Amino acid sequence: MILLKKATAVKYHKFGNTENDDIYDSLMFSIKDDLLKSFLSTSEIRVSKPEGEIKTKPYPMNECLVAFAHSMKPYFFDHSVVHPGQLRLKIMELLYDVAECNRNMFLQILQLHEPIRTDIRNVVEQHYASPVSVSELAYLSGRSLSSFKRDFQNIYNVAPATWIREKRLEKAKEMLETTSLSVSDICYSLGFENVSHFSRIYKEFHGQTPSISR
């Protein structure tokens, strides 16, 4: 199991040995602020807040957490049986199990807070080639959308949407020349709306269609 703070973008790949019929099985939960605050204020669990930051890393699950994961599977496959109040209780159960299973991870939960401002350059350089929106980039940088646009303009002297579009078009040309991915695969992997829109702005920017760039 692993806990990730808010304002974190994650890209991951699942793989296994198909010859041995390996099975990769995972569940992902989002813990909202109000529920976390409610748990910390009403539970009898008390842990002193740590000094300094607890580093994020994966931890093994104990029997209680494994049993909890199995108990949640029906809700993932049949959404009609999910009731908000019941789901809230199940997430409370998850928090209790984590508190008993791993102290370090529970300390991480206690450290959750509003995202602090991070360097805009690092955020956009790391994520521009991912299908994320400008508002999502603003969130990842710990800023409101208006603050993000203003700070971005001061750094790059161009609107973020324009900069991101041009960087993605440069990346698209690189991918067309160096990979065997189809035009549509490249289009959607970089966050463009559809292939026709992508082809049109690609030609406007590079002076040729994506198919010619191959």
Side-chain angles (χ1 to χ4, degrees):
M1 59 181 179
I2 188 166
L3 177 71
L4 300 173
K5 294 190 296 183
K6 62 175 62 179
T8 301
V10 178
K11 186 175 183 179
Y12 61 93
H13 298 277
K14 297 183 290 186
F15 59 90
N17 187 340
T18 55
E19 294 180 359
N20 295 331
D21 295 325
D22 287 349
I23 296 175
Y24 180 93
D25 197 0
S26 64
L27 300 175
M28 183 179 293
F29 302 92
S30 296
I31 304 174
K32 295 186 176 181
D33 286 345
D34 64 333
L35 191 146
L36 179 56
K37 292 175 182 176
S38 176
F39 174 80
L40 294 175
S41 63
T42 59
S43 70
E44 70 281 6
I45 297 175
R46 294 290 178 266
V47 180
S48 299
K49 290 189 177 182
E51 296 181 2
E53 182 182 2
I54 302 295
K55 299 298 183 181
T56 298
K57 66 177 183 178
Y59 296 103
M61 294 165 63
N62 65 3
E63 291 185 10
C64 288
L65 278 166
V66 172
F68 171 83
H70 286 300
S71 76
M72 289 299 299
K73 286 187 178 181
Y75 300 99
F76 281 83
F77 292 107
D78 186 359
H79 298 288
S80 64
V81 303
V82 179
H83 301 285
Q86 187 178 20
L87 185 58
R88 185 180 180 88
L89 290 175
K90 293 297 291 184
I91 299 300
M92 288 287 195
E93 178 186 347
L94 170 63
L95 291 171
Y96 273 110
D97 287 341
V98 170
E100 293 299 325
C101 174
N102 191 286
R103 182 176 180 274
N104 279 344
M105 181 168 281
F106 190 67
L107 290 177
Q108 281 182 255
I109 293 176
L110 297 182
Q111 288 187 330
L112 296 181
H113 53 73
E114 291 298 319
I116 60 173
R117 289 195 171 197
T118 56
D119 185 73
I120 283 182
R121 295 181 185 86
N122 291 338
V123 172
V124 296
E125 290 289 348
Q126 183 178 357
H127 298 296
Y128 78 85
S130 302
V132 294
S133 65
V134 173
S135 60
E136 288 170 330
L137 289 172
Y139 181 71
L140 292 173
S141 73
R143 292 167 173 79
S144 67
L145 180 58
S146 59
S147 295
F148 176 80
K149 289 181 176 179
R150 182 181 63 250
D151 292 347
F152 189 100
Q153 183 76 35
N154 291 336
I155 295 171
Y156 292 99
N157 199 32
V158 66
T162 301
W163 185 90
I164 292 168
R165 181 175 63 251
E166 292 179 354
K167 291 285 287 186
R168 287 177 175 176
L169 289 171
E170 291 172 358
K171 183 67 175 180
K173 188 173 189 297
E174 176 190 330
M175 294 173 71
L176 285 166
E177 294 174 345
T178 60
T179 74
S180 59
L181 292 172
S182 67
V183 172
S184 61
D185 285 342
I186 293 173
C187 164
Y188 293 118
S189 70
L190 291 174
F192 291 102
E193 298 173 2
N194 54 66
V195 176
S196 60
H197 170 74
F198 167 67
S199 298
R200 178 175 59 80
I201 62 174
Y202 185 96
K203 184 177 181 180
E204 291 174 356
F205 188 75
H206 290 294
Q208 58 187 16
T209 63
S211 58
I212 295 178
S213 295
R214 300 228 71 121

